[in-house]
Each structure stands twice: as C-alpha cells, then as structure tokens.
C-alpha cells in the first residue's frame, strides 16, 4: 500500500452542486430558488413562520420559570479526585478546598461552589471542604478514612 494508491470508498464523496452555470445544468439562471418572492432573495430564513397560521411556539402554553437566584455548582467526582492524587496534582495529606482544586487545574471555574459526587473509587485518605456533597460521596470518603466538611448554607 502506497500513499498514491489510497482512495475513498465508492459513494463516500459527492460533487457539490454548482449553481448558476447555464440552463443545461438544471440549476442555471435562478439557481434552484425559483422566481421572485421572499425565499428567492438571499439571507432569508423565516424560522417558525407557518404561512400566517399561529406558529407552534405560540400555540403551546408557557411552562415553568427561571430562578435567577439558583446556585450553579460544579460537579466533582471522587474518581477524578483520586486520579489527581495519583498524578501528584494534589497532596492528599493536606486539607483540600476550592482554592486547591482550582490552582491544581482539576476545576477551571468554581462558579458558586463545588459539589462532590460519588462516581468512581477513592482509596486515599482526604480531608475535603466543599459547598455540597451527595450522601454516597460522603460515605465513600469516610470509608477511605477521610472526612468531608460542608459549611452551612446561607
């Protein structure tokens, strides 16, 4: 096998449609857009317009709301924490908090805090302070001999 013998499978590539190249091509003159009207002009895409019929997004009722005070936590699985300890990004003997996790590059932006979740295995004994933690994550950390501190919410 040589580089000049490589080729795509049959039917894997298709020639692009070249519009406006004479009437014999089938897409000449009006280039497949028909005559006149809004849709024959360039830059027109009427999203949601149903020809005057009430559009679907207006026929359906409103539902729910956006809570502007919602806390946006960053998930951190204990498996990811263990991988960072194994890679020597974090010292397991020292207490771990949000600043340590951000400076070590495990989390890029802490947003409103970190929530510890129980996906993965943890074998190192760690003392970690986070904004939130699932019951399974707390159990997994305590099983490995560590402790989780969750400060009281505001």
């Amino acid at each position: 096998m040589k580089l000049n013998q490589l080729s795509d499978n049959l039917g894997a590539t298709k020639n692009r449609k070249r519009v406006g190249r004479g009437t014999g091509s089938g897409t000449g003159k009006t280039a497949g857009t028909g005559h006149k009207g809004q849709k024959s002009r360039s830059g027109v895409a009427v999203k949601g317009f149903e020809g005057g019929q009430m559009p679907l997004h207006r026929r359906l009722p409103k539902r729910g709301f956006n809570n502007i005070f919602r806390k946006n936590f960053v998930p951190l699985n204990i498996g990811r924490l263990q991988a960072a300890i194994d890679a020597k990004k974090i010292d397991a003997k020292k207490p771990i908090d949000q600043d340590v996790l951000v400076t070590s590059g495990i989390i890029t932006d802490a947003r409103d805090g970190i929530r510890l979740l129980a996906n993965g295995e943890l074998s190192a004994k760690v003392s970690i302070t986070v904004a939130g933690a699932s019951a399974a994550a707390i159990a997994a950390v305590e099983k490995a001999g560590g402790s989780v501190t969750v400060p009281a919410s505001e």
Side-chain angles (χ1 to χ4, degrees):
M1 176 69 65
K2 294 190 177 115
L3 285 176
N4 65 346
Q5 295 172 331
L6 292 175
S7 66
D8 275 321
N9 296 333
L10 274 172
T13 60
K14 193 174 171 185
N15 293 337
R16 71 185 184 92
K17 186 193 280 192
R18 297 183 71 223
V19 296
R21 290 291 182 273
T23 51
S25 69
T27 51
K29 194 181 171 205
T30 55
T33 60
H35 291 278
K36 293 188 182 174
Q38 187 178 19
K39 287 170 81 178
S40 71
R41 317 293 185 206
S42 67
V44 175
V46 190
K47 284 193 175 67
F49 185 68
E50 299 181 16
Q53 172 176 296
M54 188 59 67
L56 183 68
H57 65 89
R58 288 186 59 196
R59 287 197 303 261
L60 299 176
K62 291 184 189 177
R63 191 170 157 81
F65 75 108
N66 284 330
N67 183 1
I68 60 168
F69 302 109
R70 180 181 178 175
K71 295 263 186 269
N72 191 359
F73 293 117
V74 179
L76 173 66
N77 285 305
I78 56 173
R80 179 116 166 78
L81 192 62
Q82 182 63 50
I85 292 166
D86 294 341
K88 301 215 175 359
K89 286 185 176 180
I90 294 182
D91 185 7
K93 293 178 181 70
K94 292 181 181 166
I96 299 168
D97 62 356
Q98 183 171 303
D99 297 331
V100 172
L101 292 166
V102 171
T103 51
S104 62
I106 291 152
I107 287 169
T108 50
D109 179 20
R111 297 193 216 131
D112 293 328
I114 295 164
R115 183 163 160 81
L116 194 64
L117 302 176
N119 193 0
E121 294 293 320
L122 183 70
S123 55
K125 180 181 174 182
V126 292
S127 169
I128 186 163
T129 305
V130 284
S134 66
I138 293 171
V141 171
E142 287 171 352
K143 182 181 166 198
S147 65
V148 177
T149 311
V150 179
S153 60
E154 294 122 39

